[in-house]
Amino acid sequence: MRPSFKAVRRGGLEMSDPLNVLTKKTPRQFDQAGSPRSVGWTRAHRVRLADEKNPLPLDCGKTIAPVDVEYEIYGKLNRARDNAILICHALSGDAHAAGWSADAGRLGRPWLKNRPGWWDVMIGPGKAFDTDKYCVICSNILGSCYGTTGPSSIDPETGRPYGLRFPVVTVGDWVRLQERLISHLGIDRLLAVAGGSLGGQQALEWALAYPDRVESAIIIASAARLSDQGLAFNVVARNAIMTDPNFKDGDYYGGPTPGRGLEVARMLGHITYLSETSMENKFGRRFCNGEGPGFHLGVDFEVEGYLRHQGKAFVERFDANSYLYITRAMDYYDASAWGEGDLDKACRRIESRLLLVSFSSDWLYSPAHTKELALALGRARKRVSYANIESSYGHDAFLLEVEKLSHLVRCFLGEGVAE
Amino acid sequence: MNRNGGHRFDHEFIYEIVPGGASVLDLGCGDGELLARLIEDKKVQGLGIEKDIDQVAKAISRRVPVLHTDLDLGLAGFPDNFFDFVILEKTLQVVNKPLLVLEEMLRVGGVGVISFPNFSHWNVVASLILTGRMPVTPALPYHWYDTPNIHLFTVKDFLDWARTNNVAVEQGLAWVNGKVVPLNEEEDIFAEEVLFVISRNS
């Protein structure tokens, strides 16, 4: 029997507007800049942390200079300088972690006007990372396109953007650069380093690289290393970018960018951030026109519209070369390198208290992988706690399971920081 | 996990016998109260295992290291004899795989401390016989439909398991009429709750 479609057949390859999928369902409430729960208007700072005299050594064996770093600070450093918490961002994040950017125009990043910082739900007065108590710092990673030196920055040797001449950077390099920032800010010891996903790997790297300078580490939706499945997705994402006809070996600055490739890479990324259940809850095989198949090859399912929109929006705001370098750093990260390949041995270096959190439906950094790290830390007799939050949101849960995550973070950080 | 009953004679006893600086694994550690005291007062190297995330959060707020996982999955990941003491306070009767938990307990720890409500207590047995209904007592305060206790056993059942599995019972204590007394196997019907210190016969 022929399935009965309620749909009215539309002519040709007509595409539904993918945006109506999103505008229809964005119930999320933001704390406005004037809200007592918001850090308010924020400004990005920029500082040069490496120059010709003092270049930054990199894991690949090269050095790089100059290096500028963009960062933001919320809350105040106390007199003892012991209430600083460093927040590490994930793959496509930036230093703008909380509040509303007063700099969107100056920085040439109009999208910052539409929403607060990427972890605004966690950072602010009375929130998990309470800016009434803590001095919260977030810096942008090396290789990014958001104010910290990256492939789109000018290579002093050629006077042109680095492109693929930019050295391959690692999570270790990022943390080494963050250490320079922390020292520059006059902070000897961080009360905590926290991050989700790739940010969680930076938090772990901090505890490994600077054991005496990290009181505690909060590692969320992360693990000692990315799985082979994760590596595979990154390979495909990079291939999409590098095979784009506009890619031109990374020398596309000033001309058309490899937008289609980057768009596909981001679509792929978004699939790994959601779970089967969250996709079903969000889209449920629904059609954009709400009726049935449109009998065309354009955007027809809501999930298609969602991915297309996410991909397109990303192209507007991210540099394709940065995506290549950052995913590579994500691939290479392996905490066991601190123990010559033995994770238990690596963990013995750590002095910090640790909180590890995973989410039940996360398949990019699965609970099993997070637990594996927790057990290695346990075998190294470290003060580690691990919790797995029941969630249908997949990897994105570290941005969405605010209530449960906030509760755990508060419990872990505890009370009592000197004025 | 279940930590029923108002009195905590097992808590107090364990607190007394664990030496300073020992490594202690608490299976079903609940809100981490015991470990918190051991860590703070006795500089014990403590780790809890707990499957209820709200309890995990409470333990974390007490600065007790705790892993949110299910004992029924075993303790794979921990080497043999890794801990000096493994505690199983009123938890054995709530797990799905009690034998696996006991085996794992003795594998990862030198000494095991285990406490449980005694199902052969006269009040329990009498209540079952006289009323024909599942007993509700201070040590077993639940109804049949809401009890977390899914494997009920008696002192004799436990000691049978120990004998047939080459497990040495170093010490046995009973909670009788509000007092802690040495356990007498022949008078097990007076024991409302019991505690055993066990180890693997070498």
Side-chain angles (χ1 to χ4, degrees):
Chain A
M1 201 175 82
R2 196 174 175 277
S4 62
F5 290 120
K6 275 191 243 156
V8 181
R9 187 180 298 220
R10 296 187 188 183
L13 274 177
E14 189 190 342
M15 293 194 194
S16 321
D17 176 7
L19 272 175
N20 64 20
V21 178
L22 296 146
T23 47
K24 203 161 71 178
K25 37 165 80 206
T26 38
R28 203 135 36 111
Q29 290 289 318
F30 297 133
D31 291 322
Q32 295 305 316
S35 158
R37 285 177 56 82
S38 174
V39 300
W41 294 102
T42 70
R43 287 207 175 273
H45 307 276
R46 204 170 294 181
V47 60
R48 178 152 296 185
L49 293 173
D51 53 26
E52 287 67 31
K53 281 185 201 154
N54 184 22
L56 184 75
L58 301 173
D59 282 335
C60 66
K62 296 177 186 164
T63 58
I64 184 168
V67 178
D68 294 333
V69 173
E70 183 171 310
Y71 67 98
E72 292 193 7
I73 290 190
Y74 325 109
K76 276 191 181 146
L77 197 59
N78 61 13
R79 243 177 257 157
R81 295 177 176 265
D82 63 0
N83 68 333
I85 295 181
L86 179 70
I87 301 290
C88 303
H89 69 72
L91 209 172
S92 60
D94 53 21
H96 181 51
W100 294 80
S101 174
D103 283 334
R106 179 178 68 85
L107 296 168
R109 298 176 208 154
W111 57 87
L112 292 180
K113 289 176 186 158
N114 302 326
R115 53 185 307 150
W118 58 271
W119 231 8
D120 188 72
V121 290
M122 296 288 289
I123 304 163
K127 295 181 185 178
F129 298 107
D130 188 344
T131 48
D132 285 340
K133 276 193 221 165
Y134 309 120
C135 170
V136 176
I137 304 157
C138 182
S139 76
N140 183 224
I141 56 177
L142 182 66
S144 175
C145 47
Y146 292 138
T148 297
T149 302
S152 56
S153 306
I154 300 296
D155 177 354
E157 278 183 23
T158 62
R160 294 189 298 128
Y162 279 103
L164 296 190
R165 287 171 302 277
F166 195 74
V168 169
V169 293
T170 66
V171 173
D173 297 333
W174 297 345
V175 166
R176 218 169 297 125
L177 185 57
Q178 284 164 354
E179 188 276 327
R180 287 192 180 194
L181 175 66
I182 296 309
S183 296
H184 166 78
L185 295 173
I187 298 161
D188 283 337
R189 194 172 158 83
L190 290 162
L191 181 67
V193 187
S197 191
L198 195 47
Q201 298 197 312
Q202 292 166 61
L204 175 60
E205 179 66 11
W206 256 99
L208 286 159
Y210 301 102
D212 54 336
R213 299 189 63 183
V214 187
E215 175 80 23
S216 59
I218 301 175
I219 298 160
I220 302 163
S222 195
R225 64 180 80 77
L226 187 62
S227 67
D228 289 274
Q229 204 176 7
L231 292 178
F233 276 103
N234 279 348
V235 170
V236 178
R238 281 194 298 272
N239 263 278
I241 293 169
M242 291 193 285
T243 54
D244 186 295
N246 292 335
F247 182 62
K248 303 200 169 82
D249 285 330
D251 281 324
Y252 51 77
Y253 299 104
T257 61
R260 297 312 295 266
L262 183 58
E263 185 185 327
V264 172
R266 185 61 169 174
M267 287 167 84
L268 196 67
H270 267 281
I271 297 172
T272 68
Y273 306 152
L274 301 181
S275 71
E276 189 178 352
T277 312
S278 63
M279 277 209 191
E280 201 180 311
N281 291 343
K282 226 172 162 135
F283 311 113
R285 284 190 60 87
R286 280 188 306 276
F287 291 94
C288 292
N289 63 21
E291 293 162 345
F295 298 102
H296 59 69
L297 299 177
V299 169
D300 205 6
F301 285 102
E302 286 194 356
V303 64
E304 231 172 329
Y306 170 83
L307 292 177
R308 174 67 69 86
H309 169 76
Q310 294 291 355
K312 282 205 179 307
F314 193 60
V315 169
E316 301 298 312
R317 69 173 182 91
F318 212 79
D319 176 39
N321 280 330
S322 283
Y323 204 84
L324 298 178
Y325 280 90
I326 295 169
T327 56
R328 205 41 161 168
M330 185 179 177
D331 292 352
Y332 281 150
Y333 188 66
D334 186 349
S336 70
W338 284 100
E340 286 92 43
D342 181 341
L343 184 59
D344 288 32
K345 193 175 163 194
C347 287
R348 279 179 223 143
R349 296 177 55 83
I350 293 179
E351 298 296 326
S352 326
R353 284 196 309 136
L354 303 108
L355 173 65
L356 275 54
V357 183
S358 63
F359 300 94
S360 60
S361 57
D362 184 351
W363 54 279
L364 186 58
Y365 286 99
S366 71
H369 286 110
T370 311
K371 191 178 162 188
E372 190 183 302
L373 173 60
L375 286 169
L377 288 159
R379 286 190 297 268
R381 301 198 188 275
K382 298 302 165 186
R383 293 170 295 164
V384 59
S385 286
Y386 161 69
N388 180 41
I389 293 176
E390 204 57 47
S391 169
S392 64
Y393 289 126
H395 186 61
D396 266 350
F398 82 93
L399 301 165
L400 300 170
E401 290 289 0
V402 180
E403 214 171 301
K404 294 175 189 171
L405 188 57
S406 296
H407 181 58
L408 285 171
V409 168
R410 276 201 191 95
C411 285
F412 180 72
L413 289 176
E415 305 295 330
V417 171
E419 283 302 313
Chain B
M1 277 195 187
N2 178 37
R3 283 277 164 99
N4 57 23
H7 60 89
R8 297 312 314 254
F9 91 90
D10 45 0
H11 244 53
E12 297 311 316
F13 176 77
I14 295 166
Y15 180 81
E16 291 306 323
I17 66 162
V18 171
S23 64
V24 178
L25 179 68
D26 189 353
L27 303 176
C29 68
D31 61 10
E33 190 204 331
L34 175 62
L35 277 178
R37 284 175 60 198
L38 289 170
I39 292 168
E40 202 163 305
D41 303 348
K42 296 197 161 186
K43 305 295 167 227
V44 149
Q45 203 166 58
L47 180 65
I49 305 257
E50 175 55 50
K51 84 168 176 183
D52 179 332
I53 195 166
D54 295 327
Q55 298 282 74
V56 168
K58 283 181 190 160
I60 289 173
S61 67
R62 290 191 148 126
R63 301 214 155 200
V64 168
V66 56
L67 303 183
H68 180 210
T69 180
D70 192 340
L71 286 181
D72 287 317
L73 300 173
L75 299 171
F78 289 111
D80 295 356
N81 294 310
F82 188 71
F83 299 95
D84 298 323
F85 285 83
V86 182
I87 298 167
L88 194 61
E89 263 190 344
K90 290 183 199 161
T91 298
L92 189 62
Q93 75 280 2
V94 306
V95 300
N96 277 306
K97 299 177 179 169
L99 293 183
L100 172 78
V101 172
L102 285 169
E103 286 298 328
E104 283 288 82
M105 176 184 189
L106 288 167
R107 180 182 68 78
V108 303
V111 175
V113 184
I114 173 167
S115 66
F116 55 87
N118 178 27
F119 205 73
S120 62
H121 184 248
W122 65 267
N123 191 12
V124 175
V125 177
S127 166
L128 180 58
I129 293 171
L130 296 176
T131 70
R133 292 182 178 83
M134 287 305 284
V136 179
T137 68
L140 295 163
Y142 302 97
H143 298 99
W144 63 273
Y145 47 81
D146 63 7
T147 179
N149 302 324
I150 55 174
H151 286 285
L152 291 163
F153 46 92
T154 68
V155 167
K156 289 193 172 76
D157 287 328
F158 181 79
L159 292 172
D160 288 348
W161 166 82
R163 281 180 204 111
T164 49
N165 287 278
N166 205 24
V167 172
V169 176
E170 318 272 359
Q171 198 169 357
L173 292 178
W175 179 252
V176 178
N177 292 329
K179 286 197 186 93
V180 187
V181 297
L183 177 80
N184 179 344
E185 197 184 340
E186 300 315 311
E187 293 182 7
D188 64 318
I189 62 162
F190 299 112
E192 203 174 345
E193 288 177 25
V194 292
L195 177 147
F196 291 108
V197 179
I198 59 175
S199 65
R200 176 72 74 190
N201 275 325
S202 43

